[in-house]
Amino acid sequence: MNFEKCFEVESFFSILPLDWQESILPFWDDYKASTECFVLKEEDDIIAGGLVFSECPPDMLYAKQQADFWFDTGYKYLGFIYVLESKRGQNLGSLWLNSLKDTYMHGKFWLTIEDINLHHFYVKNGFRYVKTLDHGEQEEGLYIYPN
């Protein structure tokens, strides 16, 4: 298993669910200069990954003021974190997060989750729940690291 920066980001996008692809691909040209992609590879195949944003990503524009607060205080936004369904349950999400924390030795991160079932996963990985953001019919929990 290798953790590495992904320079051919489209190869990471290709493993994402279609609705995720539709929420990032049309905007990618506007964000690629301020965003890094990191992946886990098994042999040459990407099996997990995510994006590290330094400015408000397209899926967070509804809460741009909140996003700007975290960016202004030195946090980077983690988004589009994904593990292939066939590889879930193998601690790959934790491996990806821990590798990212090692890469950014003193890094500060924030993220949001829609699926409340992921709360325990992120708390286990050192994130702290901060607040709930209202996104129309959907609510998202905002988490920060270090807590």
Side-chain angles (χ1 to χ4, degrees), residues 78-139:
L78 303 183
F80 298 88
I81 301 169
Y82 189 74
V83 175
L84 286 176
E85 286 188 36
S86 63
K87 299 294 182 178
R88 292 185 184 163
Q90 300 176 33
N91 288 321
L92 296 177
S94 295
L95 176 61
W96 185 86
L97 283 169
N98 288 328
S99 298
L100 186 70
K101 292 173 195 173
D102 289 345
T103 299
Y104 290 94
M105 291 298 284
H106 302 288
K108 300 187 299 185
F109 305 104
W110 69 283
L111 55 82
T112 60
I113 61 169
E114 294 174 3
D115 183 353
I116 195 65
N117 294 324
L118 292 172
H119 169 82
H120 176 71
F121 169 78
Y122 285 107
V123 170
K124 174 183 84 169
N125 281 284
F127 285 78
R128 177 176 59 87
Y129 169 81
V130 175
K131 67 191 295 182
T132 297
L133 301 176
D134 185 20
H135 185 35
E137 296 178 13
Q138 181 70 45
E139 290 184 340

Side-chain angles (χ1 to χ4, degrees), residues 10-132:
E10 289 76 12
S11 58
F12 167 64
F13 291 159
S14 71
I15 73 165
L16 296 176
L18 187 57
D19 60 329
W20 290 28
Q21 291 180 38
E22 291 170 349
S23 67
I24 186 64
L25 285 171
F27 307 100
W28 184 241
D29 284 343
D30 296 331
Y31 289 92
K32 63 185 176 186
S34 62
T35 306
E36 295 180 289
C37 179
F38 292 92
V39 296
L40 284 176
K41 284 188 171 181
E42 189 173 68
E43 298 176 15
D44 286 332
D45 297 324
I46 295 174
I47 59 171
L51 301 176
V52 180
F53 291 87
S54 296
E55 63 180 54
C56 189
D59 63 327
M60 288 304 300
L61 290 175
Y62 78 92
K64 187 169 181 345
Q65 186 175 7
Q66 185 68 222
D68 288 345
F69 168 81
W70 293 105
F71 288 121
D72 290 347
T73 55
Y75 285 77
K76 294 184 182 289
Y77 177 76
L78 303 183
F80 298 88
I81 301 169
Y82 189 74
V83 175
L84 286 176
E85 286 188 36
S86 63
K87 299 294 182 178
R88 292 185 184 163
Q90 300 176 33
N91 288 321
L92 296 177
S94 295
L95 176 61
W96 185 86
L97 283 169
N98 288 328
S99 298
L100 186 70
K101 292 173 195 173
D102 289 345
T103 299
Y104 290 94
M105 291 298 284
H106 302 288
K108 300 187 299 185
F109 305 104
W110 69 283
L111 55 82
T112 60
I113 61 169
E114 294 174 3
D115 183 353
I116 195 65
N117 294 324
L118 292 172
H119 169 82
H120 176 71
F121 169 78
Y122 285 107
V123 170
K124 174 183 84 169
N125 281 284
F127 285 78
R128 177 176 59 87
Y129 169 81
V130 175
K131 67 191 295 182
T132 297

